[in-house]
Amino acid sequence: MAALPLLGGAASAPPPTVEVSVTGLRSAKGQILVCLTTNPKAFPDCSKDKASVRMAVKAADAGDFAVHAPAAGTYAIAVVHDENSNNKMDVAIFVPKEGFGFSRNPAITVGPPSFKSASFAVAGDMRQSIKMKYML
């Protein structure tokens, strides 16, 4: 006979929530594309990570929203201000035309930051503030 899990035990704890606030948007047009991943090889483009959490948030609501992490672990977040709502980052000669940002706000030189510079530990509910950057 299989044992039933006890209610209220550690096994029934809800997955952690990361409260995210995005600042520095240049407009309230479009949406914010959000990528939460534990996979360094899939950062910052979650399309190669089936276990990633991807979502879109209206730009007007980007000041405060929640991302539910699947479990405790080390994560990094990448966001894109998709102003024209075409579900991708538009570029001009390899330079992003739309805004972007990362958890922990690492310095941006050439190309995206490393997973390590943007990663943070999630063991329970927590908060990340992300400042948008625009190149054009």
Side-chain angles (χ1 to χ4, degrees):
M1 185 173 197
L4 296 174
L6 297 174
L7 293 177
S12 66
T17 298
V18 181
E19 290 288 333
V20 179
S21 69
V22 175
T23 60
L25 290 175
R26 69 177 169 198
S27 76
K29 289 193 295 189
Q31 61 188 352
I32 303 299
L33 301 176
V34 182
C35 151
L36 174 77
T37 184
T38 60
N39 184 343
K41 291 185 174 117
F43 182 78
D45 177 12
C46 283
S47 64
K48 299 177 188 96
D49 181 6
K50 287 185 173 44
S52 67
V53 175
R54 289 184 283 171
M55 59 190 279
V57 176
K58 288 181 185 174
D61 299 333
D64 196 26
F65 61 91
V67 180
H68 300 288
T74 300
Y75 291 89
I77 299 174
V79 296
V80 172
H81 184 191
D82 180 22
E83 291 178 279
N84 60 2
S85 297
N86 66 350
N87 293 314
K88 65 179 185 173
M89 175 186 273
D90 296 325
V91 294
I93 314 169
F94 306 109
V95 177
K97 290 168 63 177
E98 296 177 304
F100 56 89
F102 305 96
S103 46
R104 294 186 51 215
N105 298 302
I108 305 296
T109 51
V110 177
S114 68
F115 176 85
K116 185 177 180 181
S117 68
S119 66
F120 57 97
V122 174
D125 293 354
M126 61 159 332
R127 184 161 196 79
Q128 278 290 318
S129 295
I130 298 174
K131 184 162 179 30
M132 294 301 292
K133 295 177 181 10
Y134 295 88
M135 307 298 266
L136 297 176

